[in-house]
Amino acid sequence: MSTIVAFADLDDTLFQTLRKLPGADPRTLTPATVNTQGEAHSFCTPTQAELLRLLACGGVTVIPVTGRDLAAMARVTLPFSSWRIVDHGLTLIAPDGAVDAEWAAHVRAHLHDLQDALAAATAHLEAHAARLGCRLTRHHAHQLPFMTVLKHPEAHAGALEELQLRWEGFLVDQNLADLQIIANANNVSVLPRSLGKLEAVQHLRQRQFSDAVLTFGLGDSLSDLAFMSACDFAVTPPRGQLLRAVNAARLPQR
Ligand SMILES: [Mg+2]
């Protein structure tokens, strides 16, 4: 049978928390993740569940491509049985659950060169984040920091926007072109520019799915755009950040 692969972002693409589903009838929802207490936390809508069923019926291999870390990926209860891309692309998990050591070594070498820049970008924001009541968290992959995430406890849009602009300005001023800022809902993150979901998808396609006759990229966010663009078709939900941005751009119809 021909190999068909769907590379799929998870949160807000295949499922979301109840906060994003106002008015939904809980009886129609399919549990998709649990929280750290083991309680259902994110859910598939009927259409998301139908999409997953369609892919399964078509023999499509679905590969999660997520910013979740290993622990958060383990709290996803949907049955993914092939490779999984976690940590924004910095960690590949084989079907048997083992972390791909070759990719880990590649990532560590890349991250090693970025440590000073990541530390400087994080330090630059610390005082401003504290002043605006925001929290900065450093995330690690393969024992090295790779991302700093900024959050506000009440998702204060003004505070997050001010800090995002400060961070972007700092990267430009300091010529830290190897880093990028991504923003979505209640978080703003600084992470590597040229090592992420796209590179992980490309690597996996070359190494494991070179025989694929058709690939789909599923995602909701601007940060998914690069890997979705590397697939044959892209699928995105209508109320996601990606389509909202495209709709707001009012592109000339040429
Ligand atoms: Mg998403």
Side-chain angles (χ1 to χ4, degrees):
M1 199 171 132
S2 302
T3 301
I4 304 175
V5 183
F7 293 97
D9 171 58
L10 297 180
D11 291 78
D12 299 329
T13 297
L14 293 183
F15 51 72
Q16 54 281 304
T17 59
L18 288 177
R19 192 173 61 80
K20 304 257 180 77
L21 296 167
D25 179 352
R27 290 168 302 185
T28 67
L29 302 176
T30 305
T33 75
V34 292
N35 60 18
T36 49
Q37 281 80 49
E39 304 153 340
H41 187 244
S42 300
F43 300 84
C44 302
T45 62
T47 57
Q48 289 166 326
E50 200 58 46
L51 175 60
L52 287 169
R53 198 155 31 239
L54 175 71
L55 294 170
C57 288
V60 178
T61 301
V62 180
I63 298 183
V65 184
T66 179
R68 285 173 175 259
D69 61 17
L70 282 163
M73 185 69 217
R75 294 196 296 272
V76 176
T77 52
L78 295 176
F80 296 112
S81 55
S82 183
W83 287 78
R84 281 147 283 166
I85 297 173
V86 302
D87 286 333
H88 286 280
L90 274 62
T91 302
L92 301 183
I93 310 173
D96 66 3
V99 170
D100 186 286
E102 183 197 351
W103 186 246
H106 172 69
V107 166
R108 281 184 59 83
H110 187 88
L111 287 180
H112 192 264
D113 296 337
L114 293 183
Q115 290 307 305
D116 289 349
L118 278 164
T122 304
H124 175 73
L125 220 62
E126 263 161 7
H128 299 295
R131 171 172 57 82
L132 292 168
C134 290
R135 199 171 64 241
L136 280 175
T137 312
R138 301 197 84 180
H139 293 252
H140 295 67
H142 315 297
Q143 293 83 49
L144 284 174
F146 79 98
M147 172 174 75
T148 302
V149 179
L150 172 81
K151 287 188 181 184
H152 187 278
E154 281 99 44
H156 191 288
L160 290 168
E161 187 182 348
E162 179 189 328
L163 293 170
Q164 181 180 349
L165 292 172
R166 265 186 199 284
W167 235 351
E168 287 170 348
F170 181 75
L171 296 192
V172 172
D173 291 346
Q174 302 295 313
N175 203 19
L176 299 178
D178 292 335
L179 298 180
Q180 65 172 333
I181 307 292
I182 65 171
N184 206 349
N186 181 30
N187 53 70
V188 181
S189 307
V190 62
L191 69 177
R193 181 180 291 281
S194 55
L195 188 62
K197 288 181 170 185
L198 168 65
E199 291 75 17
V201 166
Q202 288 173 328
H203 178 83
L204 214 47
R205 279 189 68 166
Q206 284 166 7
R207 294 301 171 100
Q208 304 293 338
F209 299 100
S210 58
D211 59 338
V213 295
L214 174 63
T215 56
F216 294 97
L218 283 65
D220 69 293
S221 296
L222 291 167
S223 57
D224 298 319
L225 189 56
F227 89 79
M228 293 166 71
S229 302
C231 297
D232 296 312
F233 288 91
V235 179
T236 190
R239 278 171 293 281
Q241 183 190 45
L242 198 45
L243 268 204
R244 280 190 281 120
V246 172
N247 283 323
R250 296 181 189 280
L251 298 169
Q253 295 184 14
R254 287 194 293 275

